[in-house]
Amino acid sequence: MVQTISKLLGALLAVLLLYIVPAAQAAERQDDISGLNTYHSTVRFVDMVRTKGYITPTMYNDFMRDLELTGNIYEVDLEHMHKKYVPDYADAAKPDSFLGNYETVYDGYYNPQILPVLFPDNQQPKSDQLRRYTLMAGDYFTVRLHNTNRTPADLYKSWLLGGADSGKPAVTASYGGMVLNEDY
């Protein structure tokens, strides 16, 4: 009886070591490759926006299509920080109390402000100038994203570790910088 149990345990261990562990490592490598592809696509999109100074629906759709090729589902956060100069007053109610200097502030625009410009409710063609989200030189543009689905590597980890789920996304990317140009 003891020999039968030990043989069964040995066979299970052999299956684990020969098939499941290499499959889990291959799934980890797939997450790494997805992460590299995601980061590369993010860098390409952000650099295009920073160079051109605008986002078109076609640019955004191409970026999302590149992300879909990894087989994951992503939550994408766009951030546009618009630079502006605000005069400094001793008393804001009195225009003649100007102190002679300006303060630099940034107004933040995010998905709820950017995506309706790219994808309005009306039937304008994609090439219409009104569907172009424009930025100015000196502004900052950043894209942050992470996957929302469970990858095969997540499933293997939770199975091998007894159901423990870290809740941490397997694939993330963040990239941004200053807008360099305004191509209109």
Side-chain angles (χ1 to χ4, degrees), residues 23-50:
Q25 289 176 337
E28 281 285 331
R29 279 194 302 273
Q30 181 60 40
D31 280 356
D32 292 342
I33 291 169
S34 292
L36 288 172
N37 288 337
T38 299
Y39 183 74
H40 178 71
S41 297
T42 303
V43 168
R44 189 172 49 241
F45 173 67
V46 170
D47 284 348
M48 190 180 343
V49 172
R50 290 176 53 222

Side-chain angles (χ1 to χ4, degrees), residues 48 103 149:
M48 190 180 343
E103 185 179 341
N149 62 310

Side-chain angles (χ1 to χ4, degrees), residues 75-95:
E75 181 177 312
V76 178
D77 296 319
L78 306 175
E79 178 183 88
H80 168 212
M81 300 302 285
H82 176 65
K83 185 179 190 177
K84 69 180 190 179
Y85 300 98
V86 177
D88 196 12
Y89 292 99
D91 183 4
K94 296 180 182 177

